[in-house]
């Protein structure tokens, strides 16, 4: 199985300031079709997860442009340019290259 | 609007069975993969099963293989998860989720809680 490792596990951030979450996979997420199936999810308190970013850097429908994704191979980053109160929650990276799909441990974003 | 609504969760004794359902609407159900993902209380997300659009191919996590069965009824736009031989460690919120145009999971239901306890 592909192991996904996120850092940090907790991120206190001041409103209006940037935030960054790293994700590393135990093996390359580049598929034989040339795509890299690394996605980011947001889970607000008491809510199901929602898709933020797919294939490293593509924002899903309705996702604000303050969210951006980058990376390649085994190292990936989610950035929030200016954190807003509604961004509080847990963020997960996940690989969809092969079964079983796997998730990072989650990074809890909190407001200072 | 894509909607996924799970039902069938509840309290069951160890060794018991439960069948979860997920009613889908707002998209061409038979065209897309569907998944089940679970989340134990206070814990992270764990993928457990996937089924292709026509139901011909299914995949399972090792932790549920041989005990859980995923299926779908495309005429009813409904996804199922038959869970047998339930264990305490199966206690979790179970999410029904849609596979996107690629391989990503793009929409999630609200989840249904399964509690396995005597």
């Amino acid at each position: 199985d592909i192991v996904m490792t996120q850092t940090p596990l907790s991120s206190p951030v001041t409103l209006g300031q940037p935030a960054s979450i790293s994700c590393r996979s135990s093996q390359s997420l580049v598929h034989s079709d040339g795509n890299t199936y690394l996605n980011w999810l947001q889970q607000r308190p008491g809510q199901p997860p929602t898709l933020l970013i797919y294939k490293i850097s593509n924002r899903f429908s309705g996702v604000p442009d303050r969210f951006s994704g980058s990376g390649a191979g085994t190292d990936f980053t989610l950035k929030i340019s200016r954190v807003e109160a509604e961004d509080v929650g847990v963020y997960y990276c996940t690989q969809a290259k092969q079964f079983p799909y796997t998730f990072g441990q989650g990074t809890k974003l909190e407001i200072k | 609007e894509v909607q996924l609504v799970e039902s069938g969760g509840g309290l069951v004794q160890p060794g018991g069975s439960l069948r979860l359902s997920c009613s889908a609407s707002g998209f061409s159900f038979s065209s897309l993969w569907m998944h089940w993902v679970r989340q134990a209380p206070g814990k992270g997300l764990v993928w457990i099963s996937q089924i292709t659009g026509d139901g011909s191919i299914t995949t399972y996590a090792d932790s549920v293989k041989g005990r859980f069965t995923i299926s779908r009824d495309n005429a009813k736009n409904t996804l199922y998860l038959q869970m047998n031989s339930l264990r305490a460690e199966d206690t979790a919120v179970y999410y029904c989720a849609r596979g996107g145009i690629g391989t990503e999971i793009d929409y999630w239901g609200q989840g249904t809680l399964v509690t396995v306890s005597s």
Side-chain angles (χ1 to χ4, degrees):
Chain A
D1 298 1
I2 298 176
V3 177
M4 307 296 290
T5 304
Q6 289 181 227
T7 54
L9 298 185
S10 178
S11 180
V13 182
T14 302
L15 287 174
Q17 293 300 301
S20 180
I21 300 169
S22 295
C23 175
R24 177 167 288 178
S25 58
S26 61
Q27 57 182 267
S28 173
L29 298 185
V30 181
H31 194 274
S32 56
D33 65 7
N35 290 304
T36 300
Y37 292 106
L38 183 283
N39 309 313
W40 290 96
L41 308 175
Q42 177 193 58
Q43 187 172 30
R44 292 181 172 129
Q47 296 298 312
T50 58
L51 179 63
L52 282 178
I53 302 282
Y54 64 97
K55 287 192 288 186
I56 301 178
S57 60
N58 297 275
R59 276 187 301 275
F60 191 56
S61 175
V63 174
D65 61 7
R66 64 178 182 276
F67 290 93
S68 64
S70 62
T74 61
D75 287 281
F76 307 94
T77 303
L78 174 70
K79 291 184 179 177
I80 309 174
S81 59
R82 294 172 304 280
V83 171
E84 298 188 4
E86 66 179 19
D87 299 336
V88 165
V90 180
Y91 292 79
Y92 296 93
C93 62
T94 174
Q95 66 81 19
K97 176 193 175 187
Q98 66 184 49
F99 293 116
Y101 287 9
T102 48
F103 300 84
Q105 317 95 300
T107 296
K108 189 172 186 179
L109 185 74
E110 306 168 301
I111 304 300
K112 278 184 187 173
Chain B
E1 179 193 5
V2 173
Q3 287 200 338
L4 300 169
V5 179
E6 301 93 337
S7 60
L11 176 63
V12 60
Q13 292 188 339
S17 298
L18 214 54
R19 189 200 200 197
L20 306 183
S21 299
C22 170
S23 178
S25 60
F27 64 100
S28 178
F29 181 71
S30 62
S31 301
L32 296 173
W33 291 5
M34 295 295 295
H35 303 259
W36 288 100
V37 178
R38 70 185 181 186
Q39 186 171 36
K43 302 297 185 182
L45 300 165
V46 177
W47 175 89
I48 57 172
S49 188
Q50 168 266 352
I51 186 168
T52 53
D54 63 1
S56 62
I57 299 173
T58 58
T59 316
Y60 298 93
D62 287 346
S63 58
V64 305
K65 201 173 294 182
R67 300 187 300 124
F68 290 11
T69 303
I70 190 172
S71 62
R72 63 194 298 162
D73 184 336
N74 287 342
K76 295 182 178 179
N77 285 358
T78 302
L79 176 72
Y80 302 101
L81 186 68
Q82 177 67 43
M83 305 186 295
N84 298 331
S85 303
L86 283 162
R87 307 165 180 166
E89 54 264 37
D90 295 319
T91 294
V93 173
Y94 284 73
Y95 294 105
C96 161
R98 189 185 88 161
I101 303 301
T103 65
E104 72 279 1
I105 292 175
D106 62 358
Y107 286 96
W108 300 65
Q110 289 294 316
T112 187
L113 176 63
V114 172
T115 303
V116 184
S117 174
S118 54

